[in-house]
Amino acid sequence: MKKPEIKKAAVLGGGMIGSSWATNFLWKGIPVHIYDIGDEALKIARDRIVGNMKYLVGKGILTADKMNVALSLAKYTTDIEEAVKGVQFIQESVLEHYDVKQALLAEVDKHAATDTIYASSTSGLLITEIAKDSKHPERCIGAHPYNPPHLIPLVEINKGQKTAEETVERTYAFYKSIGKEPIVLRKE
């Protein structure tokens, strides 16, 4: 059975990297649910995303009208269930700690569709370890961007011990479709 096309994404963690990923997705026309743990964190994320978009407008990369359309595709929430509902791709960019990432993935397992890709923006942690207790480790993949993700196209993809090859292929194709230059690493 063919997996659904990626038409909606969630960004979990609205810090510098998460905000940049959200900017990239929105700019490319992908509706995004942006999740963080508090209203203040979401306000900061929203301000960063708007600032990133204004920068693109200032450089002539995006028109003000297209920026407004892109910004209208964003939904901000502190509810993880709401964040992952109806999305096909999750870009996680929370703190670089196994316990934080594992706890968040446990919540994703409860609420996201089983075929939703879970891409961790980790730069130094192993996706095998992040996904070790997941109900669906086959959908978990490492996706380390070069920073900032909305400006630099390179993203390193790496699979864990239980990551499905189909997850690698779908992730690669999705990133290519939004103008990224993904490379698949040979080892974690």
Side-chain angles (χ1 to χ4, degrees):
M1 180 169 90
K2 186 173 162 98
K3 299 291 182 184
E5 183 181 342
I6 296 169
K7 295 184 178 187
K8 189 182 289 185
V11 170
L12 308 183
M16 294 295 283
I17 304 303
S19 295
S20 186
W21 272 121
T23 301
N24 195 172
F25 297 159
L26 293 166
W27 169 20
K28 300 304 179 174
I30 306 292
V32 179
H33 297 169
I34 297 114
Y35 165 84
D36 216 312
I37 58 173
D39 291 333
E40 183 61 27
L42 286 176
K43 180 190 177 312
I44 293 168
R46 182 181 290 113
D47 291 347
R48 283 185 181 135
I49 292 165
V50 170
N52 291 341
M53 290 286 187
K54 286 181 177 178
Y55 175 82
L56 295 172
V57 171
K59 292 296 181 182
I61 297 168
L62 201 60
T63 66
D65 287 344
K66 287 185 179 179
M67 174 188 78
N68 291 329
V69 169
L71 290 172
S72 75
L73 299 175
K75 180 177 184 179
Y76 298 86
T77 184
T78 57
D79 182 331
I80 190 68
E81 182 176 5
E82 184 180 0
V84 301
K85 185 177 183 177
V87 305
Q88 298 81 38
F89 192 87
I90 296 168
Q91 188 73 57
E92 171 266 303
S93 300
V94 298
L95 294 174
E96 282 284 284
H97 298 288
Y98 282 120
D99 57 337
V100 173
K101 291 181 181 286
Q102 291 164 342
L104 184 60
L105 181 52
E107 289 300 308
V108 167
D109 280 348
K110 290 180 195 173
H111 303 295
T114 59
D115 58 358
T116 299
I117 294 170
Y118 183 88
S120 180
S121 297
T122 184
S123 60
L125 304 179
L126 301 176
I127 194 64
T128 296
E129 185 67 19
I130 293 168
K132 74 178 185 175
D133 297 323
S134 175
K135 293 177 187 172
H136 304 287
E138 70 281 355
R139 68 159 165 204
C140 299
I141 193 162
H144 173 246
Y146 279 55
N147 296 314
H150 71 285
L151 296 179
I152 300 178
L154 186 62
V155 58
E156 298 171 334
I157 297 172
N158 64 83
K159 61 189 269 185
Q161 292 172 356
K162 296 181 179 177
T163 304
E165 191 58 38
E166 181 179 8
T167 299
V168 176
E169 292 167 8
R170 287 180 66 212
T171 301
Y172 184 91
F174 172 63
Y175 285 142
K176 285 296 275 187
S177 77
I178 61 167
K180 303 301 282 177
E181 290 295 332
I183 57 168
V184 180
L185 302 180
R186 294 187 186 176
K187 80 181 216 179
E188 202 172 357

